[in-house]
Structure formats: C-alpha cells, structure tokens
Amino acid sequence: MKILVTGGAGYIGSHTCVALLEAGHEVIVADNLSNSKIEALDKIKQITNKEVVFYQVDVTNESEVESIFNNHKIDGVIHFAGYKAVGESVEKPISYYYNNVVSTLVLSNACLKYGVQRFVFSSSATVYGDNKVPFVETMDLLPTTNPYGETKAMSERILTDIVKANPSFSVALLRYFNPVGAHKSGLIGEAPNGIPNNLMPYVTQVAKGKLDKLRVFGNDYPTPDGTGVRDYIHVVDLAEGHVAALNDLTTGVKVFNLGTGKGTSVLELIHAFEKANEIKVPYEIVDRRAGDIASFYADTQKAEKELGWKAKLDVIDMCKDAWHFERNQ
Ligand code: NAD
Ligand code: UFG
C-alpha cells in the first residue's frame, strides 16, 4: 500500500516508516520539521535501503495537504503529526488544540474527498485519565488534566463521528503507553529539544553526563517501591503495531492499546538501565510532579487477539537501545 505518514520524521513516525518499508509498503512523509530533523529520513534510507517521498508541509494547511493527495494515489494515512509536551500544552492551549485537532480534521476531510479509506491515529493512554488499572479499551474515557490529553480525546471523538457518517471510512485509534528505546542500529531514536520531560531520555542524558542527576518524582505512591509505575513499550514494537493495525482496517472504528501489559517503576527502570549498560545513574528522590498518577499499564488482550500483535522486547532491550542511540548523539 501507499501510506501517507504525517510526522514521519519524528520519533515514533521514523520507526514506523522503517517498519512500513520493511513490510513492503511505499511511504510518503509529510512533516513540517517543527520537532524533528530532515536527517531522520536519510537514516531511514540507511536502515532500509529504501527511499521515502518527503513533503515539508504543515498538515493543518488544507491546500498543502490536498496537493499531496492530488499527486499520489494514497491507500492509507497514519497521523502522528502533533505537539506532545503535556506541560507546554497547559501554557499554550491554543497552539495545542489548533495543531492537534485541526490536523485531524484537515487530513480526515482530505481522505473523504480523495476516497482514502484507512486512517490510523496516534492516541495516548492519557485518555483513560484516572480509570482503574489495567486500562481496557471498553472503559469510558475520563477527563484528562491537560489540553494535550483533551486534544487526543477530542480527535478520537471526531474520527468516530466521521466514521458514523461515512461507513466506508475506517479508523484505528491506537492508544500508546510509554514509548521508549530506539532502533537497534542506533541511527534513529528520541532526541528531545532542551531538557527532557520524560524519564528515559532524562536517564540517558544523566548517564552520559549531560545532566547532573535524575530527580525521581515521589517515592510515596501506593506502588510496590513507592515510585510511579508505567507500561514502557519499545518503539520498534510500537511501530510494528501500526503495520498490524493498518492491515487489519476494513470498516468502522477500532480501538487498541499498544503497551506490554507490564508495569515498571521508576526505580526498577533506573536499575534495569544500570544493569543493561553497566553504568551508574545518580538520582535523588524529590516531591511528586503535579498531575502524575501513581500507576498505569495496558490490558493488551484485544491487540493480541484481533491484530495478532504483541510486544516482544523487554525493559533491558529498551534500556540498551536507548543508550546505544544516546551514545551516537
Ligand atoms: P515527535 O514530536 O517526535 O513527532 C511528531 C512529528 O510531527 C515531528 O516530526 C514534528 O515535526 C511533526 N509535526 C508536528 N506538527 C506538525 C504539523 N502541523 N504539520 C506537519 N508536521 C508536524 O513525537 P512522537 O513522540 O513521535 O509522537 C508522535 C505522535 O504520537 C504524536 O501525535 C504524539 O502525541 C503521540 N504520542 C506520543 C507519545 C510519546 O510518549 N512519545 C505517547 C502517546 C502518544
Ligand atoms: N519521572 C521521574 N523523573 C523524571 C521524569 C519522569 O521520576 O525526570 C517519572 C514520572 O513521575 C512517572 C514516570 O517517570 O512516574 C514516567 O514519566 P514520563 O514523563 O516519562 O511519562 P508519563 O507517564 O508522565 O507520560 C507519557 C507521555 C504522555 C503520555 C503518557 C501516556 O509524556 O504524553 O506517557 O502515553 F500521555
């Protein structure tokens, strides 16, 4: 199939381009490079020996998006493009609602206009809010505490309504848990701008000596060691989940958790990283971070049963590959 990948130069998008090319699909990337570098596309070529077609466009721009649909007979869209920093979304709600919601509207509208029937959307476990763990796809979505989360819940509802009105359009809503790690080549990975917000890139930068020490946000949660528990998923497994979801799309809306089903605490992740890479990660315990919840992880049965997809890589693989990528920077 010929797949339009928005945000394909970014972290998850670049790994998914690799997975799509390796599965024999053709890839067109649309990215405005607001949070990525064009070099990612060269790296994709080095890994796969295949080229992607690239458009440097803003996917909220209707005429730029439609010109891509005019130039290519597209079979499906995977929509990664968006802003993703939770804290920044509180400071800049308009840019988050605009970028994340308008891009979904513009792309789905172009799909309907050009007869493209498959749409895969990057959602997030954040839409479950404070539900009971493990999070299951059938749960009601609870209000999230930030505009970023609302843009994901809103986009999910918009796409669901579009399918109701256009039964030949099919959508997969993929709720990612905590993507970490990098391609085993060490060529592509997560390279956040400035000081990282997320745990794994912070850990790798501390290990490298770029940052002084890790701050562990709270050790008084109701979890086995008191630190926050998350379902970390290797980005290569996550990328393969997209190929499986795309192949499965026929009609209607399908919702899938993409996680491992296994919870790992902050201290467990630090110790796994130290063991996997034989390097110390200095840390100190500080106060809880505002807005964090104690623990969440996925129920993964639906994706296993319906997509035949299951995460294969473990936390040690995630730590090794994240470190390999960081050392190459
Ligand atoms: P990323 O920032 O690395 O990638 C996003 C890409 O989209 C970047 O290359 C950026 O330049 C591009 N982009 C942003 N706005 C655009 C626009 N208007 N037009 C064209 N390109 C635009 O982020 P990522 O971690 O790869 O995340 C991809 C998607 O997955 C996002 O929608 C994000 O919200 C979602 N998600 C990420 C996580 C995570 O922890 N990384 C978790 C859950 C969901
Ligand atoms: N943490 C620290 N120190 C740090 C960074 C994080 O102790 O410097 C802790 C957090 O308190 C939390 C855990 O590590 O317990 C994971 O935190 P992350 O910031 O890496 O990830 P979150 O679970 O907070 O959020 C991430 C994305 C969200 C997304 C969510 C679910 O940032 O956008 O996963 O997919 F919604």
Side-chain angles (χ1 to χ4, degrees):
M1 288 190 273
K2 193 173 274 191
I3 308 302
L4 175 63
V5 181
T6 76
Y11 174 47
I12 306 170
S14 58
H15 290 82
T16 303
C17 288
V18 169
L20 288 166
L21 292 166
E22 286 177 343
H25 298 292
E26 288 175 61
V27 173
I28 299 160
V29 167
D31 199 304
N32 64 1
L33 304 179
S34 59
N35 196 37
S36 52
K37 299 202 174 70
I38 184 99
E39 287 76 25
L41 305 178
D42 297 329
K43 306 282 169 64
I44 293 170
K45 189 178 173 196
Q46 280 184 54
I47 294 168
T48 61
N49 223 0
K50 292 180 180 167
E51 300 258 6
V52 302
V53 176
F54 177 58
Y55 288 87
Q56 185 168 351
V57 297
D58 186 318
V59 295
T60 61
N61 183 314
E62 195 166 356
S63 63
E64 289 186 351
V65 165
E66 290 200 3
S67 74
I68 305 175
F69 283 73
N70 256 320
N71 292 346
H72 305 272
K73 173 83 195 72
I74 291 166
D75 298 298
V77 173
I78 306 185
H79 179 31
F80 291 105
Y83 296 150
K84 63 166 181 176
V86 172
E88 188 184 57
S89 79
V90 178
E91 311 293 321
K92 300 178 180 170
I94 295 179
S95 27
Y96 271 70
Y97 281 109
Y98 190 85
N99 201 36
N100 292 6
V101 178
V102 173
S103 60
T104 302
L105 288 169
V106 165
L107 285 157
S108 50
N109 191 41
C111 285
L112 296 186
K113 203 161 155 185
Y114 288 83
V116 178
Q117 291 176 350
R118 293 182 177 84
F119 195 98
V120 177
F121 178 67
S122 294
S123 188
S124 164
T126 196
V127 299
Y128 289 109
D130 212 356
N131 262 298
K132 233 177 104 228
V133 294
F135 292 162
V136 189
E137 290 89 341
T138 47
M139 283 173 163
D140 286 337
L141 302 191
L142 295 183
T144 60
T145 51
N146 58 77
Y148 167 74
E150 288 304 307
T151 68
K152 293 296 177 190
M154 218 175 253
S155 290
E156 286 202 7
R157 286 194 287 267
I158 289 170
L159 290 164
T160 303
D161 285 342
I162 294 173
V163 171
K164 274 188 206 148
N166 301 273
S168 63
F169 187 52
S170 60
V171 171
L173 304 174
L174 304 184
R175 296 178 181 157
Y176 312 155
F177 282 69
N178 287 53
V180 296
H183 190 266
K184 63 178 177 324
S185 62
L187 291 170
I188 51 174
E190 187 173 19
N193 292 328
I195 297 188
N197 290 308
N198 296 117
L199 181 61
M200 184 66 97
Y202 210 107
V203 166
T204 60
Q205 294 197 16
V206 169
K208 204 174 182 188
K210 275 199 216 165
L211 296 167
D212 195 29
K213 61 179 145 179
L214 175 73
R215 288 171 306 143
V216 174
F217 297 135
N219 67 349
D220 56 352
Y221 284 107
T223 60
D225 64 20
T227 65
V229 167
R230 295 292 182 273
D231 182 344
Y232 297 96
I233 173 165
H234 198 295
V235 67
V236 168
D237 277 329
L238 186 67
E240 283 166 7
H242 289 73
V243 180
L246 188 71
N247 289 337
D248 167 75
L249 271 182
T250 44
T251 52
V253 179
K254 292 202 175 172
V255 186
F256 294 106
N257 287 339
L258 297 184
T260 65
K262 186 178 178 303
T264 301
S265 74
V266 177
L267 291 180
E268 282 172 336
L269 188 101
I270 296 170
H271 295 136
F273 188 91
E274 292 183 328
K275 186 172 157 215
N277 299 312
E278 295 177 356
I279 191 162
K280 275 275 163 221
V281 179
Y283 68 87
E284 63 176 335
I285 309 287
V286 299
D287 286 346
R288 291 180 178 193
R289 181 171 67 178
D292 273 354
I293 57 179
S295 170
F296 62 85
Y297 49 93
D299 181 309
T300 58
Q301 292 179 57
K302 190 174 177 208
E304 277 176 42
K305 210 164 120 205
E306 296 186 24
L307 299 180
W309 170 90
K310 191 176 185 317
K312 298 187 209 88
L313 300 166
D314 64 15
V315 170
I316 294 288
D317 299 311
M318 301 176 207
C319 292
K320 280 188 178 158
D321 294 336
W323 180 230
H324 183 201
F325 176 72
E326 180 65 47
R327 274 181 309 165
N328 281 352
Q329 297 308 294

